[in-house]
Amino acid sequence: MAGNSQRRNRRTSNKKGAQIGSGGKRRRGLEGKGPTPPAEMRPGHAKQRAAQAKARKAVGRPAPRRGGARSTSELVVGRNSVVEALREGVPANALYVQQFIDSDERVKEALQIAGERGGIRLVEGPRPELDRMTNGLNHQGLVLQIPPYDYAHPEDLPAAAFDQGEQPLIVALDGVTDPRNLGAVIRSVAAFGGHGVVVPERRAAGITASAWKTSAGAAARTPVARATNLTRALEAYRKAGLQIVGLAADGEAELHEVGVLDGPVVIVVGSEGKGLSRLVSEKCDVRARIPMPGGSESLNAGVAAGVVLYEASRRRA
């Protein structure tokens, strides 16, 4: 008869599981699991995936410090470009090398320099990964990562000069978009005892690998400040006692007639094509022109800045 079987372990009830007590599980189940977490914290939720993707994009882009700013990382691609950057001492934090690359003298030299300098991670990766990093550029199996440049605040430049007991000599660039011109200006500022360079945050060249190479290492010891608004930065310099000298082909005075170059001064250089913008020109205390008896109409920013910096250095000596 049902229920009278003598076989051991035979189920005689339709109920499942242990019948004597619940081990407290039912009581804990009634306590609940607390408030429902926000969507961004729920594993697998679409909003959590979106938040994680946003965080990944932010990696390597630290927030600007007070008054200053940091640029984003830059990639130098191609065997010749990578080797030239390493030869010139351009700062780098990683060298990416394609797996199973056909090694030649440039690859060997890049690996040797990176190993000798130290502080440069050597990362080997498959070609599709390097293609993704460079957006499909012809990297030839070598990619060099340049760390973000830490820009100074415009007010830091004259403050550092005054702290050293010197009269500030600063160059401000207005609308100069070629990083090689920026590098040349930095090199001239370092050569003639200047105290730094100011560039606008928008529509202007910043410190890139090209600027580093053209500066011939001067970018490592000459501060570059980035101004959110160049006209306001010049106004702040004027209030701090600096004279603003703008270079213009139609300037009212020739360079040798400008008598303020031996004092605290900011030399403003515009682009070769457009020159100084109207708002920046209005902030200048004097606009000077460089005499060119050879008949040339204009000089690029790097050459023009070098001429004026030499004249200022000569007078200060």
Side-chain angles (χ1 to χ4, degrees), residues 26-279:
R26 293 179 183 174
R27 186 180 303 134
R28 288 196 297 268
L30 292 173
E31 292 176 355
K33 300 180 180 179
T36 302
E40 291 80 2
M41 297 179 64
R42 297 183 212 166
H45 196 282
K47 287 193 175 181
Q48 187 194 56
R49 294 195 298 270
Q52 292 173 343
K54 184 177 180 180
R56 284 194 296 270
K57 290 181 180 179
V59 172
R61 298 185 182 183
R65 63 184 178 89
R66 188 194 69 80
R70 287 179 74 92
S71 61
T72 57
S73 297
E74 181 192 3
L75 298 179
V76 179
V77 302
R79 300 188 183 188
N80 288 334
S81 298
V82 168
V83 171
E84 289 175 5
L86 289 171
R87 285 175 181 170
E88 294 294 336
V90 173
N93 51 21
L95 175 63
Y96 294 86
V97 185
Q98 179 183 316
Q99 290 176 340
F100 314 115
I101 188 175
D102 294 330
S103 180
D104 61 9
E105 294 301 322
R106 294 168 297 178
V107 175
K108 295 177 182 177
E109 184 177 355
L111 293 172
Q112 180 181 354
I113 296 175
E116 292 174 349
R117 279 176 50 177
I120 301 178
R121 292 184 299 115
L122 296 177
V123 184
E124 188 177 28
R127 182 182 180 88
E129 179 63 18
L130 269 65
D131 290 342
R132 184 194 63 78
M133 287 176 55
T134 60
N135 290 324
L137 295 177
N138 184 22
H139 52 74
Q140 299 175 307
L142 285 185
V143 179
L144 188 67
Q145 186 178 46
I146 309 302
Y149 182 81
D150 193 4
Y151 290 95
H153 189 283
E155 295 177 4
D156 295 343
L157 306 187
F162 287 132
D163 288 344
Q164 298 169 10
E166 301 175 356
Q167 300 285 9
L169 176 59
I170 299 168
V171 174
L173 301 181
D174 178 27
V176 176
T177 57
D178 189 341
R180 292 170 296 183
N181 265 332
L182 172 58
V185 170
I186 295 171
R187 188 173 184 178
S188 295
V189 168
F192 295 114
H195 299 98
V197 180
V198 181
V199 297
E201 187 174 319
R202 299 180 180 179
R203 295 184 291 275
I207 298 294
T208 64
S210 296
W212 272 106
K213 286 191 292 184
T214 310
S215 76
R221 59 184 186 274
T222 302
V224 177
R226 178 174 274 181
T228 304
N229 186 297
L230 184 58
T231 56
R232 285 204 295 263
L234 295 176
E235 183 63 32
Y237 283 150
R238 177 186 288 168
K239 291 179 180 179
L242 281 69
Q243 295 289 312
I244 313 299
V245 177
L247 297 186
D250 58 349
E252 58 269 17
E254 289 196 351
L255 183 60
H256 66 274
E257 298 172 342
V258 178
V260 298
L261 294 179
D262 56 348
V265 66
V266 180
I267 301 165
V268 189
V269 184
S271 64
E272 184 176 359
K274 297 181 180 179
L276 299 177
S277 63
R278 180 182 60 83
L279 293 176

